[in-house]
Amino acid sequence: MRKQDVIFAWLGSIISILFFIIVNFLTSPNYLWFIYPSFFLLLWPLSLQSFKYGNYKVHSVIVSTIIILFLLAINVFHSPEHPWILYVWYPIIWWPLLMFLEKKRTTVSLGIVASIVTIVYYSFLNIIISHGYPWAIYPIFAVFWWPMALYYTKKERLF
């Protein structure tokens, strides 16, 4: 990766953000929609710069923190009566956690523990926040695939 790639990414993002700001204020100044594409346009050069220097773990911590804070701000400003950020932050936090666990992230035991913790977390949210319908059964099915997939990839015979 060349130095010009990162410079191009920053300049391209800034020019695109300025374009979105102009279009936003010309077409619909009452609603500031330019912040959503701008957020992701800023993640591109930040990610490119991190990858250039091989800072994968630091990148995962920084980007996941930025994403969680961005979603928290959206939750607080647009729908503070319902804390939907509690449903979203949990899977985002797993990215840096698994980056730091390195070799253990492919073990079946970590998959089982993580699946159980995830099931308990989403079941707790279901009971506390949205107890009208037992929706927690749906992610339970998907979460059980993680340890099963790890188990069967380590076996030489699948059947």
Side-chain angles (χ1 to χ4, degrees):
M1 185 178 308
R2 298 181 315 254
K3 180 181 178 182
Q4 294 85 5
D5 294 342
V6 176
I7 294 171
F8 171 77
W10 280 109
L11 287 175
S13 292
I14 291 169
I15 290 170
S16 298
I17 290 169
L18 290 174
F19 173 75
F20 286 136
I21 290 171
I22 292 168
V23 171
N24 186 175
F25 284 114
L26 289 177
T27 59
S28 54
N30 295 336
Y31 181 68
L32 300 178
W33 55 262
F34 78 90
I35 60 173
Y36 304 111
S38 299
F39 172 74
F40 291 104
L41 281 170
L42 289 175
L43 285 181
W44 172 42
L46 180 66
S47 298
L48 199 61
Q49 193 166 0
S50 296
F51 293 152
K52 179 181 179 182
Y53 296 110
N55 298 332
Y56 304 115
K57 292 178 185 177
V58 175
H59 175 261
S60 67
V61 171
I62 291 172
V63 171
S64 62
T65 304
I66 290 171
I67 291 172
I68 290 171
L69 291 175
F70 180 71
L71 293 174
L72 179 64
I74 291 172
N75 188 190
V76 168
F77 290 127
H78 291 292
S79 57
E81 66 280 352
H82 182 66
W84 55 261
I85 186 69
L86 295 175
Y87 303 105
V88 178
W89 78 273
Y90 182 79
I92 297 171
I93 244 11
W94 274 101
W95 176 27
L97 284 176
L98 292 175
M99 288 296 290
F100 281 100
L101 289 175
E102 290 186 24
K103 299 211 186 286
K104 292 183 181 181
R105 66 181 164 219
T106 60
T107 62
V108 177
S109 58
L110 178 67
I112 292 171
V113 169
S115 295
I116 292 170
V117 170
T118 302
I119 290 167
V120 168
Y121 176 75
Y122 280 114
S123 297
F124 179 74
L125 279 181
N126 190 181
I127 292 168
I128 299 299
I129 295 178
S130 56
H131 52 345
Y133 182 76
W135 57 262
I137 59 175
Y138 303 119
I140 287 173
F141 177 75
V143 166
F144 273 134
W145 280 98
W146 181 11
M148 287 188 343
L150 288 172
Y151 174 75
Y152 282 111
T153 56
K154 293 191 182 297
K155 290 186 70 145
E156 292 182 17
R157 290 185 56 199
L158 296 177
F159 301 105

